[in-house]
Amino acid sequence: MPEQPPERDRPVADTDDPVHVRTPPPARHARAALQVLVAWVGAFAGIGLVVLLVELFPGMQLLLIGSFGASAVLLFAAPRAPFSQPRNLIGGHMISAIVGVACFRYLPDLLFIQASAAVATAISLMMLTRTVHPPGGATALIAVIGPEAVHGMGWAYVFPVLVGALALMLVALISNNLLEAGSYPDRWG
């Protein structure tokens, strides 16, 4: 019997070889591709819904704010993460919006103080209430550094933040359960 060459010296089959062409990708790759597609659809639908609400109801002073993009990443790319759960999404944005408006309205008119206090206080209150949602820090900051349209809203800024967060959550409840029913949310409270 002739001696076999060591494993490292054996030729590697070409990827164009018909054997490889007929071999289906492993199931985990198909599942991962499906998860990416569902995340894309969820993010598209979630942000799209917020934009539609803003455009369809101009009298309600709804807003599309940057922190909703960050929320979409958490909700649709990492739906099982603690920061992605409904309590964290809604509570984190609400606390942060209220804190941001309060810091802008009641602290000295120094950006250093208002911006720093808004983010730091929002983080602290989210931690104390177990509602940490990292995009909430941006929601608080937007209340301070946002354009005059945001500053002019005063306390009314809280309402569009709530509507946007609820719209994202609604889409997440639907899209995140497409592959596995009952998989989102992990917990409500």
Side-chain angles (χ1 to χ4, degrees):
M1 180 164 172
E3 232 179 89
Q4 293 288 329
E7 188 69 33
R8 71 181 192 293
D9 294 333
R10 288 191 185 146
V12 176
D14 187 4
T15 55
D16 292 331
D17 185 288
V19 170
H20 292 286
V21 173
R22 289 178 290 175
T23 305
R28 63 186 153 100
H29 294 302
R31 174 97 174 147
L34 221 57
Q35 287 172 327
V36 169
L37 178 63
V38 168
W40 187 92
V41 168
F44 185 92
I47 295 299
L49 178 59
V50 175
V51 171
L52 282 174
L53 290 171
V54 169
E55 291 179 352
L56 291 174
F57 302 103
M60 292 178 69
Q61 292 187 307
L62 300 178
L63 298 171
L64 175 65
I65 56 175
S67 55
F68 290 158
S71 291
V73 172
L74 287 171
L75 289 172
F76 304 110
R80 295 198 172 193
F83 298 148
S84 302
Q85 302 309 304
R87 173 191 174 105
N88 298 72
L89 171 71
I90 304 301
H93 276 298
M94 288 294 78
I95 287 168
S96 298
I98 291 166
V99 166
V101 171
C103 288
F104 179 75
R105 291 183 62 132
Y106 302 120
L107 292 180
D109 192 14
L110 297 168
L111 184 61
F112 168 78
I113 292 173
Q114 291 174 333
S116 302
V119 175
T121 305
I123 290 170
S124 299
L125 290 175
M126 285 189 287
M127 290 173 69
L128 288 171
T129 58
R130 296 181 2 249
T131 58
V132 175
H133 185 65
T139 298
L141 191 58
I142 290 166
V144 172
I145 67 168
E148 187 53 43
V150 169
H151 293 156
M153 293 177 82
W155 292 107
Y157 172 71
V158 176
F159 179 71
V161 170
L162 174 62
V163 171
L166 287 172
L168 289 171
M169 185 181 76
L170 173 67
V171 173
L173 288 169
I174 296 167
S175 71
N176 289 339
N177 287 298
L178 289 175
L179 288 179
E180 185 181 339
S183 66
Y184 181 83
D186 225 18
R187 58 186 164 75
W188 282 97

